[in-house]
Amino acid sequence: MRRFVGIILNAKYRVEKDHKDIGVIIPLDDEELKFLMTKALRRYFNALRSNEKHIKNVENYLYGTMQNLFGVWWNKQAAREYAAKRPEEEKSADNDNSGLYY
């Protein structure tokens, strides 16, 4: 268990280190993040149990899973902050259909 917690923390620190130039800080006490971590861990253990993906190194798979989770969570947080600071851009983007392909 201690090794798994260490892997999760290493993934968190890696995401923060890779993006320290933009000030990425991932608080592990965030309620949304706790829920997402639980969900990701459940999926991780289900993948191990089913052996459908033929995971060769369970520690690397956990590291990648958590690194991806932290990156996605941070991007969602940054997008929310950006939209909150610039609501006029969000409204103009809603009315702009130039990026849609039919």
Side-chain angles (χ1 to χ4, degrees), residues 16-54:
E16 290 177 339
K17 183 181 175 187
D18 287 347
H19 304 292
K20 68 181 175 186
D21 56 327
I22 57 173
V24 172
I25 297 173
I26 301 170
L28 293 177
D29 60 347
D30 181 79
E31 289 303 318
E32 180 186 1
L33 184 58
K34 285 180 187 179
F35 173 75
L36 292 173
M37 286 176 63
T38 302
K39 192 174 175 181
L41 286 171
R42 213 175 281 135
R43 287 180 178 169
Y44 166 78
F45 286 115
N46 284 339
L48 290 181
R49 187 177 56 217
S50 71
N51 201 21
E52 185 175 299
K53 296 186 178 191
H54 305 291

Side-chain angles (χ1 to χ4, degrees), residues 43-90:
R43 287 180 178 169
Y44 166 78
F45 286 115
N46 284 339
L48 290 181
R49 187 177 56 217
S50 71
N51 201 21
E52 185 175 299
K53 296 186 178 191
H54 305 291
I55 299 166
K56 293 179 182 154
N57 189 328
V58 295
E59 292 179 357
N60 283 349
Y61 189 72
L62 176 62
Y63 181 82
T65 299
M66 298 312 289
Q67 192 175 16
N68 185 40
L69 170 74
F70 292 132
V72 167
W73 180 84
W74 172 255
N75 285 332
K76 285 183 182 179
Q77 294 298 105
R80 284 186 198 142
E81 288 178 20
Y82 184 84
K85 290 178 183 176
R86 296 168 182 82
E88 66 281 351
E89 290 180 22
E90 188 72 26

Side-chain angles (χ1 to χ4, degrees), residues 82-83 86-97:
Y82 184 84
R86 296 168 182 82
E88 66 281 351
E89 290 180 22
E90 188 72 26
K91 289 179 184 174
S92 66
D94 289 341
N95 297 330
D96 182 22
N97 292 331

